[in-house]
Amino acid sequence: QVHLVESGGGLVQPGGSLRLSCAASGIRFSIYTVGWYRQAPGKQREFVATISSGGRTNYADSVKGRFTISRDNAQNTVYLQMNSLKPEDTAVYYCKPDASFAPWGQGTQVTVST
């Protein structure tokens, strides 16, 4: 059974940084593209970034240059380093491998506010 656990969220001031982690069990992350997504209140879930099994990355225009996705295959974990955070980055952040059998995790709340 696939289980995803996102962590690392919190309250941060504009301009601050956070590092999110997504730890997986029941699935070998290394063979899948894994993505980060986010959902702000009253909005649909949207794409943030992906990293392929080969390490190729892709970012939404809104986070390009500020966020960095990475992976540690030995730890079966994917990370999202978020710098220069803005209030509009406030959302629940989720990770998801490109595998239809993998459910969404519970997400981790990121709040950017003074």
Side-chain angles (χ1 to χ4, degrees), residues 19-101:
R19 188 193 195 207
L20 306 185
S21 300
C22 173
S25 59
I27 185 172
R28 191 155 54 106
F29 253 4
S30 62
I31 66 173
Y32 293 98
T33 292
V34 180
W36 282 98
Y37 303 83
R38 66 187 182 186
Q39 187 167 18
K43 295 187 177 181
Q44 290 191 333
R45 187 148 41 197
E46 65 176 7
F47 159 76
V48 175
T50 56
I51 184 165
S52 72
S53 57
R56 185 164 57 186
T57 58
N58 188 34
Y59 298 92
D61 287 344
S62 59
V63 307
K64 206 170 290 184
R66 300 187 297 121
F67 290 10
T68 302
I69 188 171
S70 61
R71 66 194 307 161
D72 183 337
N73 290 333
Q75 297 296 322
N76 218 32
T77 299
V78 171
Y79 303 97
L80 186 68
Q81 177 67 44
M82 305 188 297
N83 299 328
S84 302
L85 282 161
K86 304 175 181 180
E88 51 263 43
D89 295 318
T90 295
V92 179
Y93 283 71
Y94 303 87
C95 72
K96 180 80 163 62
D98 186 18
S100 59
F101 59 87

Side-chain angles (χ1 to χ4, degrees), residues 4-18:
L4 304 172
V5 178
E6 300 95 339
S7 62
L11 173 63
V12 63
Q13 292 187 345
S17 298
L18 286 173

